[in-house]
Amino acid sequence: MISYIIEKCGEKKELCLLHQENPSLSQEEIGKKFGPKLLILRNIEGFTGSAGWLNNFKKRHNIKQYNKHGEAKSGPGEEELAKEREKLRELISNFDLEDVFNCDETGLYWELEPSKTLSTGPLSGTKKSKNRVTLLLTFNVTGSIKLPALFIHKHQTPRDLKGIDKTKLPVDYFWNKSAWMQTSIWNKYLELLNQRMKRQNRKILLLVDNAPVHSVSNPELLTNITIHYLPPNTTAHLQPADAGIINSFKVCILFIIN
């Protein structure tokens, strides 16, 4: 998985550079160079935003940026990343790979229409839907165990769920008026996860980013979970959920919805 992502990022970088340096090139001319890979590459992070993608690529791979005063800015250095990777290897070595889990949340704008379309005539502008839910996906590093997603809606009981027992849904259902993750929800989810692991007589390592919302209120209650926080600015390098897994999940969900 990691080698695949690195390969695709390299190709994506090449495509964006070509587009930046030759803005007059047509899709057909670019297609001749990249062939069937073009469709895949365009869908990684958006082909038309090549400048933005290149900036993000530089940040992820520690390529120096410069502020308006000409001072160099950079993300985590290779030495820092190497130390963290070594720390992770040592920590993971104390667990079976099937007991090493990662989780991360994402927003799903389930009513958002495509920003581009084919048209034979003028179209009036429409307001984009901001209806969203938050999903937290948890899975082990081998991909053999995918736990029920944590699902956060802005309503306690949406119209479509009236009369339905939410405890029997294939997700862990939570709600708040913003549909965002909250520390209280995160801690309740950890309690549920700890109970699941207890029933399975399993002790796991859980890798998460260091967002403030992921703070643990009662660590002594997590008898079957060891939490390891990834250092700041390293999740793009170290977190498996960011390596295309969340994107693949959302593509499948939106395909089913539509």
Side-chain angles (χ1 to χ4, degrees):
M1 168 61 77
I2 298 301
S3 60
Y4 173 81
I5 294 298
I6 291 173
E7 177 188 350
K8 292 306 172 191
C9 281
E11 292 171 352
K12 176 73 175 185
K13 179 186 175 186
E14 185 183 355
L15 174 62
C16 288
L17 285 172
L18 177 68
H19 183 244
Q20 265 196 332
E21 295 167 1
N22 304 275
S24 60
L25 281 180
S26 67
Q27 295 277 340
E28 184 180 355
E29 290 171 318
I30 295 175
K32 287 179 181 177
K33 177 174 176 59
F34 283 89
K37 295 186 294 185
L38 180 61
L39 180 61
I40 298 172
L41 292 169
R42 287 180 64 188
N43 287 322
I44 292 180
E45 291 192 38
F47 170 63
T48 55
S50 56
W53 191 92
L54 283 171
N55 286 333
N56 288 331
F57 181 87
K58 289 174 183 177
K59 289 176 183 176
R60 284 196 300 269
H61 295 274
N62 196 35
I63 299 174
K64 286 187 177 180
Q65 307 283 305
Y66 295 87
N67 60 23
K68 61 182 180 180
H69 303 297
E71 298 166 334
K73 300 185 297 182
S74 63
E78 284 302 317
E79 185 177 345
E80 182 184 347
L81 284 173
K83 286 181 180 178
E84 181 57 30
R85 289 190 183 105
E86 186 57 37
K87 187 189 298 182
L88 274 175
R89 288 192 190 98
E90 185 177 344
L91 188 59
I92 290 172
S93 67
N94 297 318
F95 294 82
D96 291 334
L97 283 182
E98 288 197 351
D99 294 330
V100 179
F101 285 74
N102 177 223
C103 69
D104 196 16
E105 55 261 276
T106 182
L108 180 66
Y109 291 83
W110 51 277
E111 287 186 333
L112 191 62
E113 297 179 349
S115 58
K116 296 180 181 178
T117 184
L118 296 175
S119 174
T120 56
L123 289 173
S124 59
T126 57
K127 203 170 184 179
K128 293 183 179 180
S129 170
K130 294 184 180 180
N131 287 334
R132 71 186 294 280
V133 295
T134 294
L135 294 167
L136 180 102
L137 306 180
T138 306
F139 44 84
N140 69 347
V141 297
T142 64
S144 58
I145 301 175
K146 303 174 184 67
L147 298 177
L150 182 155
F151 182 97
I152 306 175
H153 200 281
K154 67 178 181 179
H155 296 303
Q156 183 175 10
T157 305
R159 185 179 303 169
D160 292 339
L161 291 182
K162 284 186 177 179
I164 294 176
D165 184 356
K166 291 191 286 295
T167 62
K168 295 183 179 178
L169 293 174
V171 297
D172 294 322
Y173 189 95
F174 291 88
W175 71 280
N176 62 58
K177 62 181 181 181
S178 64
W180 282 83
M181 175 63 81
Q182 296 177 335
T183 303
S184 58
I185 293 177
W186 167 249
N187 278 272
K188 182 61 179 175
Y189 176 72
L190 289 179
E191 288 180 27
L192 292 173
L193 180 58
N194 193 69
Q195 290 170 12
R196 285 188 176 113
M197 296 303 107
K198 260 187 169 181
R199 289 194 294 268
Q200 297 176 25
N201 195 27
R202 182 191 296 269
K203 293 195 175 183
I204 67 169
L205 171 66
L206 182 63
L207 306 177
V208 299
D209 63 46
N210 67 336
V213 74
H214 290 158
S215 61
V216 180
S217 302
N218 298 295
E220 69 279 0
L221 298 180
L222 303 182
T223 56
N224 290 57
I225 302 175
T226 299
I227 295 180
H228 177 74
Y229 293 102
L230 300 174
N233 305 317
T234 62
T235 54
H237 302 268
L238 302 174
Q239 176 143 271
D242 284 349
I245 295 173
I246 285 178
N247 183 64
S248 297
F249 174 84
K250 290 167 83 169
V251 168
C252 291
I253 289 292
L254 292 175
F255 178 78
I256 293 170
I257 291 175
N258 296 321

